[in-house]
Amino acid sequence: MVSKKDQMTGTLLISILVAVFGSLQIGYHTGNVNAPAKIIEEFFNHTWHSRHNQSMPEHSLTFLWSLSVSIKDFGALLGSLGVKCLADSFGRRNSILIVNGLSVMGTCLMFSSKACESFEMLIVGRLVFGLFCGLVMSLNPLYIQEVSPTNLRGAFATLNQVFFATGILLGMVAGIETVLGTEELWAMMLSLSLIPALLQYLTLPFCPESPRYLLINRGQDTKAEQALRRLRGSSDKVFTELEEMKEEAAHTQSALTVKEFFTKRSYRQPIIIVLIVNLGSQLSGFNAIINYSTKMFDKSNFDEAKYLTLGVGAVNVTFTLVAFLLMEKAGRRKLLLTGFLSLAICNLALTVIDSVLFLVPEMRSLQVLVVFFLISAYEVGPGPISWFIAAELFDQPARPTAMAFTSLLNWGGKFLLALLFPPLLKVCGTYVYLLFMAMALIAFSYTWHRLPETKGRTFDDIAAEFRTAEGIPLHNKTDFNTFT
């Protein structure tokens, strides 16, 4: 057995860190629009007035702002559809470089909108950036999982979520009026994601392509070995991994259509697992808290609610780092089960607290603690794992399609929640959190009964669980159907 230290090379670390610069950009544009919303809305109104010599109707202003915010998620839904084509045609690394151009284009449009006095450019810029989001949040885990050694695969994949959460916090900080969220500087604030985008262009071309893609998809054994030696050094692990890849290649077909992906019997159970885990993650309350925490704290009469929202962002980052440290120790199952159960408890607690808050205003401090605990529960398990679990459950031909399906579910869940949460809140009031609790409990139950532990296991070993086409056995050598 090769130690972790032997497998940790500079090339491996640089390849992974450079790849997740894309997640940093996405997080940044997720967190930077809430605080300066009024200022950007005023830009919309001023632009309209300069064209039509009258103020924009309030309902039109509300619609345009809602469109500006949500169109990124809609773009991500569309972008998800291109993951398989790009990943299989151009490779994992090259695809990340290609889609990075969408980030640069979208950011330049957003930055130029103020100078050009065109709110349309801002909206189109966020749509183009959304296409980038849908593509890169699948391509990143795909590349990271395929270049990482088995015993570090989950931890390194979690870095995608760490950088995403870090980007959210940086965006929140940049967006407050004491930093860059001002009438003069908001356009510059939107442009700062160009820094990691350009850094990625300067460094990622020198990182190796996925050895699995080169060997299994392209049949280029020599190039695969060269890439693996750069990633692992001169250790004996190179030969072992190459043999494992060849064994996996022998068990898989060379190409797979989308129709075959959804109709092949051995993929049915993994597809359902990915569906439940991802929807359970996205519809368990986390996104509602991220999007509406400032309004929630304002409603609870907190002074400077926006700074409490920064606290939400800080907790978010902290517990993605906790997940990074625990991923290869606790395993995916334990972290998912703990996370989903904790999310259900937090949503129940928020329902109770919001119901009695007008009677006992002192409970608002407890509300903040529950919100922080909900964020931590999400980021310790469901948040990061939902983005990469599909890459571990499927074999090489199905992996790009599975990651596209993951991206579609994640961004679809975000988009659905953005559309439905405000009206649901009006109809259900505080009881809306019970819907999130139910979703978390469904995900907990299915994970308990159906998800195998993937920690420390090769891709071929995991895929073998499903090749019988009879579903997952309740008990096997890994004893995955237990919580301990």
Side-chain angles (χ1 to χ4, degrees):
M1 176 66 68
V2 181
S3 69
K4 292 184 181 182
K5 184 176 179 181
D6 292 332
Q7 296 180 34
M8 190 84 71
T9 63
T11 301
L12 174 63
L13 287 174
I14 291 171
S15 299
I16 291 169
L17 291 175
V18 171
V20 294
F21 279 167
S23 307
L24 184 70
Q25 298 172 58
I26 296 171
Y28 182 76
H29 282 286
T30 300
N32 67 6
V33 294
N34 292 326
K38 294 296 182 185
I39 293 172
I40 301 178
E41 284 179 358
E42 183 55 36
F43 161 70
F44 281 22
N45 194 35
H46 173 76
T47 302
W48 184 273
H49 190 278
S50 66
R51 295 176 184 176
H52 305 284
N53 203 28
Q54 63 178 358
S55 296
M56 182 182 291
E58 188 171 345
H59 68 275
S60 298
L61 182 61
T62 302
F63 169 76
L64 278 177
W65 178 246
S66 299
L67 179 66
S68 301
V69 173
S70 61
I71 202 165
K72 177 172 73 69
D73 293 344
F74 179 71
L77 275 174
L78 297 179
S80 302
L81 302 176
V83 172
K84 172 178 168 54
C85 180
L86 276 171
D88 283 344
S89 299
F90 301 100
R92 290 28 171 167
R93 181 202 61 185
N94 292 340
S95 295
I96 294 173
L97 286 168
I98 291 169
V99 303
N100 197 36
L102 293 172
S103 172
V104 173
M105 185 189 306
T107 302
C108 288
L109 284 170
M110 288 186 275
F111 171 66
S112 303
S113 62
K114 183 182 179 184
C116 297
E117 295 187 350
S118 171
F119 55 76
E120 294 90 348
M121 287 181 68
L122 178 63
I123 294 172
V124 172
R126 283 185 64 83
L127 174 63
V128 173
F129 189 83
L131 295 172
F132 164 76
C133 295
L135 289 161
V136 86
M137 284 300 280
S138 286
L139 292 169
N140 276 358
L142 188 60
Y143 177 71
I144 293 169
Q145 291 252 314
E146 291 188 3
V147 301
S148 299
T150 300
N151 61 340
L152 296 174
R153 194 176 59 215
F156 282 153
T158 305
L159 287 175
N160 198 50
Q161 190 75 6
V162 171
F163 274 66
F164 177 67
T166 302
I168 291 177
L169 179 58
L170 291 175
M172 288 177 172
V173 172
I176 61 178
E177 59 186 357
T178 53
V179 185
L180 294 174
T182 64
E183 186 177 353
E184 296 79 18
L185 298 175
W186 65 264
M188 180 185 294
M189 175 202 69
L190 295 179
S191 72
L192 293 183
S193 64
L194 287 173
I195 297 172
L198 295 176
L199 284 174
Q200 190 173 66
Y201 270 133
L202 292 173
T203 51
L204 192 57
F206 300 100
C207 299
E209 178 56 270
S210 159
R212 306 188 77 85
Y213 170 78
L214 293 171
L215 192 147
I216 300 177
N217 292 74
R218 292 299 183 193
Q220 298 174 346
D221 296 32
T222 303
K223 288 186 177 181
E225 183 176 353
Q226 290 172 349
L228 198 56
R229 287 194 181 281
R230 289 184 63 195
L231 291 164
R232 302 288 183 268
S234 56
S235 69
D236 295 336
K237 187 67 175 176
V238 172
F239 176 77
T240 305
E241 284 196 50
L242 284 172
E243 290 303 308
E244 182 260 313
M245 290 180 204
K246 291 175 182 178
E247 184 178 351
E248 180 182 348
H251 293 146
T252 57
Q253 60 193 84
S254 58
L256 185 80
T257 65
V258 174
K259 181 180 178 181
E260 289 171 335
F261 175 81
F262 285 105
T263 56
K264 192 173 180 179
R265 290 192 64 189
S266 60
Y267 292 157
R268 289 180 189 174
Q269 198 61 256
I271 287 172
I272 296 173
I273 291 171
V274 170
L275 176 70
I276 297 296
V277 168
N278 279 276
L279 290 184
S281 174
Q282 294 305 317
L283 303 179
S284 61
F286 171 81
N287 288 304
I289 296 296
I290 288 292
N291 293 334
Y292 298 97
S293 56
T294 301
K295 290 183 179 180
M296 178 188 296
F297 295 144
D298 276 332
K299 182 181 175 183
S300 300
N301 297 316
F302 276 106
D303 296 328
E304 302 295 341
K306 60 188 175 183
Y307 292 109
L308 278 175
T309 303
L310 291 181
V312 169
V315 171
N316 197 27
V317 174
T318 300
F319 280 89
T320 56
L321 291 171
V322 172
F324 169 72
L325 296 173
L326 292 179
M327 193 61 64
E328 298 301 344
K329 295 180 180 178
R332 288 48 151 172
R333 272 181 53 80
K334 285 183 181 178
L335 293 180
L336 277 175
L337 290 169
T338 302
F340 282 132
L341 185 59
S342 299
L343 285 167
I345 294 170
C346 288
N347 280 299
L348 178 61
L350 284 175
T351 303
V352 174
I353 292 169
D354 275 14
S355 299
V356 301
L357 195 59
F358 71 100
L359 294 174
V360 190
E362 292 78 11
M363 292 191 71
R364 63 182 188 166
S365 296
L366 181 59
Q367 181 191 47
V368 174
L369 290 176
V370 172
V371 166
F372 284 179
F373 190 73
L374 185 147
I375 297 296
S376 65
Y378 175 85
E379 291 295 10
V380 161
I385 295 172
S386 63
W387 279 107
F388 72 76
I389 191 65
E392 295 190 325
L393 295 178
F394 291 88
D395 55 21
Q396 187 75 8
R399 202 167 290 132
T401 306
M403 293 307 295
F405 184 52
T406 294
S407 188
L408 198 66
L409 290 171
N410 271 288
W411 291 110
K414 292 177 192 292
F415 185 63
L416 191 66
L417 193 68
L419 288 177
L420 297 182
F421 183 72
L424 278 175
L425 192 59
K426 287 183 179 180
V427 173
C428 304
T430 59
Y431 298 106
V432 69
Y433 297 110
L434 294 180
L435 299 177
F436 298 146
M437 181 188 75
M439 196 65 231
L441 288 176
I442 291 171
F444 172 85
S445 177
Y446 202 85
T447 299
W448 177 284
H449 291 291
R450 290 295 183 222
L451 179 68
E453 179 55 73
T454 59
K455 179 188 73 171
R457 300 172 65 188
T458 65
F459 288 123
D460 192 50
D461 183 34
I462 298 165
E465 297 252 351
F466 306 100
R467 287 198 193 107
T468 59
E470 298 297 331
I472 302 177
L474 290 180
H475 298 280
N476 68 8
K477 63 181 180 180
T478 59
D479 195 26
F480 65 77
N481 200 37
T482 62
F483 192 30
T484 55

